[in-house]
Amino acid sequence: MIEYDPGTFGIAFVFRLRGSVFPKGVMWALPSAVLAVVFHMYMPEELSLEGVDEIWSGYTFVLGFLIVFRNSQAYSRFWEGATLIQQTRGEWFNAVSSLFAFCSQAEEKKDKVTEFQNLLVRLMSMLYCQALQQICELKDDSLEIIDISGLDTDSLRFLTGTSDRCEVVLQWLQRAIVDATEQGIITVAPPILSRAYQELSRGIVNLNNVRKIKDVPFPFPYAQMITVMLMVHFVMTPLIAAHFIQQSWWAGAMSFLVTCAFWSLVYIAGEIDHPFGEDANDFNIAEMQQAMNSSLITLLQPLAQKPPKISNCELNVVRSDMVILGTAEVEHKRKQRQSQSLSRLRSGSSFFGSEPDVVHTRVRRLSEVMDAVTMQVTPRTQCNFQDSQDGDSEANCSGSQPGTCSKELDGSNSGGTLTPVHKDHPTSGFSAFITAAKDTEESTAPSLDGVPPAGFAIRGEKCEDAKPKGPGQVRV
């Protein structure tokens, strides 16, 4: 999707070619203009077109009406697709958020609640990924999902063989909610819990409404009729312009403008008719999936699951930027950090930089640095762990297949922060370090805009037990 700034006078973007339909329209307009000039120069004087102009105006009116109808239908499909996919995301995310709020706060249920919440976000990430894959038309429709290597392989094999994966994952989610209720993980009253089921069901209904945009194209008779009429218009416009306009260059100019306008409008309809493709004016499917993953991972943060405590009950009205930055400013700073990180990667410098304060700088979107860092684990994977409590305890692990490893410190519930790296990359010289969070009750991984880094080990395991839990790279 192209984001553009029209400028102060609203014309700053008119010369932009990316995403424009003018180049296609000009390809028809230029031959039309040349034909008008040629007809004007060599048209026999005895050729009479008296009365043709009146009939031609009626033909042009019908063609214009059909083109307007085509564009109105295309824009309706475009806007309906944007609305429904956002409603789907909102319904499903709100269902997960509600289920997080419904979870028990009892200490003895803490481990089961954590397991349920981790299962929930992984299934929802997978569900939204499958939903986007059903409606998009991409050459490579593989999207980023929250790691599912901990799920059992039988279920994943079954999922890959089903015709509609969204229905299966949705069933898994609903069954997981029922099981959590029976185990006392969810303690809310059943009438309130039904809200989560309703949001899941509304989301799948909205998804099926979006799918009709891909499955049901604009009717063929309309498309054929419009194209044939445009081709007749392309031939007749230069002839009529050459006959009724006295100067040849005016005939060519008018023929150029009329032909370019009609064909450009038709191409606009084709651009926005299906907004889930790879054109410049289509929605960014990968970014939509990344935004969903970011929101789901944020829910796992401890501070996101507890309301803030208030210590001052005085009522004062203050500017919002005194306590929290505005959305526009946060987005601007995030893009600046991304740009700096990408520049450092592409220049061949160290991923971590040379200063201590940039050690934990990470790029938010994995896809934006795939040209510099490959996250595919090689046949030999080595992870080095360094215990921050004594500074001299290290452990190594290696495997023949992709796997994850993390360290669980003795006598502490604190986890560690994992930086995903590739040791064999020629420009980085990476090694993976897990630095234990010291004097903290819970794991606190440095993140960008509140999003944990990719590969952050939420639940760790000892290095010697780190083995692949799944069949390797599972493509869903």
Side-chain angles (χ1 to χ4, degrees), residues 7 21 53 57 68 90 128 147 172 176 194-195 203 216 246 256 267-268 281 288 295 315 321-322 332 340 344 402 472:
V21 297
D53 56 335
S57 62
V68 170
Y128 195 64
D147 184 25
W172 287 351
S194 65
R195 173 183 175 182
V216 183
Q246 296 182 356
F256 177 90
Y267 283 127
I268 288 175
N281 293 294
M288 295 170 70
S295 299
L315 295 177
D321 56 4
M322 295 179 61
H332 176 68
Q340 293 172 359
R344 191 159 55 246

Side-chain angles (χ1 to χ4, degrees), residues 190-209:
I192 301 177
L193 180 60
S194 65
R195 173 183 175 182
Y197 289 104
Q198 293 169 2
E199 289 169 334
L200 289 173
S201 65
R202 287 198 298 264
I204 199 69
V205 170
N206 288 333
L207 174 63
N208 281 279
N209 285 328

Side-chain angles (χ1 to χ4, degrees), residues 1-18:
M1 192 70 180
I2 296 178
E3 297 180 3
Y4 59 92
D5 181 12
T8 304
F9 298 100
I11 60 173
F13 61 97
V14 297
F15 300 106
R16 184 173 183 172
L17 292 180
R18 181 174 177 269

Side-chain angles (χ1 to χ4, degrees), residues 117-354:
Q117 291 177 346
N118 277 270
L119 175 64
L120 205 60
V121 298
R122 282 160 173 78
L123 290 180
M124 182 53 68
S125 176
M126 195 191 314
L127 176 63
Y128 195 64
C129 173
Q130 298 300 327
L132 293 177
Q133 287 177 339
Q134 284 188 356
I135 63 175
C136 72
E137 291 183 351
L138 304 176
K139 294 179 181 177
D140 181 11
D141 62 352
S142 59
L143 304 173
E144 297 175 7
I145 62 173
I146 299 176
D147 184 25
I148 58 172
S149 59
L151 301 183
D152 62 278
T153 57
D154 291 338
S155 298
L156 295 178
R157 290 195 192 98
F158 172 76
L159 182 64
T160 57
T162 57
S163 58
D164 194 326
R165 299 175 185 174
C166 283
E167 296 175 354
V168 175
V169 179
L170 180 64
Q171 181 64 23
W172 287 351
L173 277 167
Q174 294 181 118
R175 186 65 224 181
I177 297 172
V178 173
D179 294 342
T181 305
E182 294 177 350
Q183 297 173 14
I185 298 174
I186 296 178
T187 56
V188 74
I192 301 177
L193 180 60
S194 65
R195 173 183 175 182
Y197 289 104
Q198 293 169 2
E199 289 169 334
L200 289 173
S201 65
R202 287 198 298 264
I204 199 69
V205 170
N206 288 333
L207 174 63
N208 281 279
N209 285 328
V210 180
R211 289 173 61 179
K212 71 182 181 184
I213 297 178
K214 176 182 178 181
D215 298 338
V216 183
F218 186 73
F220 170 76
Y222 274 113
Q224 185 186 47
M225 185 63 179
I226 292 173
T227 303
V228 170
M229 292 185 68
L230 273 172
M231 296 179 71
V232 173
H233 183 273
F234 167 77
V235 175
M236 291 299 298
T237 298
L239 181 62
I240 295 176
H243 183 270
F244 288 99
I245 299 178
Q246 296 182 356
Q247 294 181 343
S248 61
W249 66 273
W250 265 117
M254 291 298 101
S255 183
F256 177 90
L257 293 175
V258 173
T259 304
C260 183
F262 274 81
W263 280 96
S264 295
L265 287 172
V266 171
Y267 283 127
I268 288 175
E271 283 280 330
I272 66 177
D273 187 71
H274 181 65
F276 301 105
E278 294 181 320
D279 295 333
N281 293 294
D282 292 337
F283 301 135
N284 192 328
I285 302 297
E287 191 174 87
M288 295 170 70
Q289 177 66 26
Q290 290 165 350
M292 184 63 158
N293 291 339
S294 175
S295 299
L296 291 172
I297 293 175
T298 301
L299 286 179
L300 289 172
Q301 301 299 313
L303 291 179
Q305 300 182 29
K306 298 179 181 179
K309 298 179 181 179
I310 185 169
S311 59
N312 184 7
C313 296
E314 295 182 2
L315 295 177
N316 296 306
V317 178
V318 298
R319 286 179 55 87
S320 61
D321 56 4
M322 295 179 61
V323 291
I324 186 171
L325 294 177
T327 305
E329 188 173 355
V330 170
E331 183 69 12
H332 176 68
K333 291 186 175 181
R334 183 187 64 79
K335 289 182 178 180
Q336 282 186 333
R337 289 195 294 269
Q338 280 187 359
S339 178
Q340 293 172 359
S341 299
L342 288 171
S343 299
R344 191 159 55 246
L345 284 169
R346 288 166 177 163
S347 63
S349 60
S350 171
F351 181 73
F352 294 129
S354 57

